Amino acid sequence: MRSLSPRGLLAAILLAAAVPAPAPALADDAPPPGRRAALLHMLRQDCGACHGMTLKGGLGTPLLPADLAAKAPDALADVVLDGVPGTPMPPWRALLTVGEARWMIDRLREGLDR
Ligand code: HEC
């Protein structure tokens, strides 16, 4: 193998430095596109079972944009992940990542029909 000239070596080092490090694990980031349809389905079916198929409320509180506008998204995501002890709201942490819960709250705050 031909050894690199000093200039070639310098170029190789600069190139290596310019390549971004691999992205960290995506656990807390937005779900990949392939997962989003399943999460939206879950919002309508599983969450809708209590919150109403149109999310206007039922056994669970209404989850329409106007109902959530004044509430902190992170606190709402915590409710989804941990549930509300002493109420029927169950914890979903076994099924959802933090990023997925946060993404679902963002969709609810926008309105699913948007
Ligand atoms: C078994 C019934 C049930 C299911 C299923 C359910 N919830 Fe709930 N949820 C409730 C109840 C009841 C409350 C109100 C708890 C309380 O009194 O604070 C609630 C509260 C909430 C809140 C807080 C609302 C607010 O205005 O503070 C959010 C957000 C929420 N649920 C999201 C979800 C999501 C997302 C799902 C599906 C992944 C889901 N819920 C599934 C019953 C349910």
Side-chain angles (χ1 to χ4, degrees):
M1 195 177 92
R2 203 164 65 91
S3 66
L4 284 172
S5 68
R7 279 186 60 173
L9 191 61
L10 183 65
I13 290 169
L14 290 176
L15 197 66
V19 173
L26 286 176
D28 286 353
D29 289 330
R35 174 83 170 127
R36 295 178 188 179
L39 296 177
L40 290 173
H41 182 81
M42 189 174 172
L43 276 174
R44 292 185 190 280
Q45 300 301 316
D46 300 74
C47 314
C50 280
H51 289 275
M53 287 303 174
T54 56
L55 303 172
K56 286 195 179 108
L59 173 61
T61 45
L63 298 179
L64 295 175
D67 304 302
L68 304 181
K71 303 189 177 179
D74 282 339
L76 292 169
D78 284 346
V79 168
V80 174
L81 291 167
D82 297 326
V84 183
T87 80
M89 177 62 186
W92 296 87
R93 201 178 278 280
L95 297 175
L96 298 171
T97 66
V98 172
E100 287 170 348
R102 182 58 199 265
W103 185 84
M104 289 166 88
I105 291 297
D106 288 346
R107 298 291 74 71
L108 289 172
R109 287 168 56 89
E110 274 181 9
L112 290 191
D113 294 329
R114 220 185 64 132

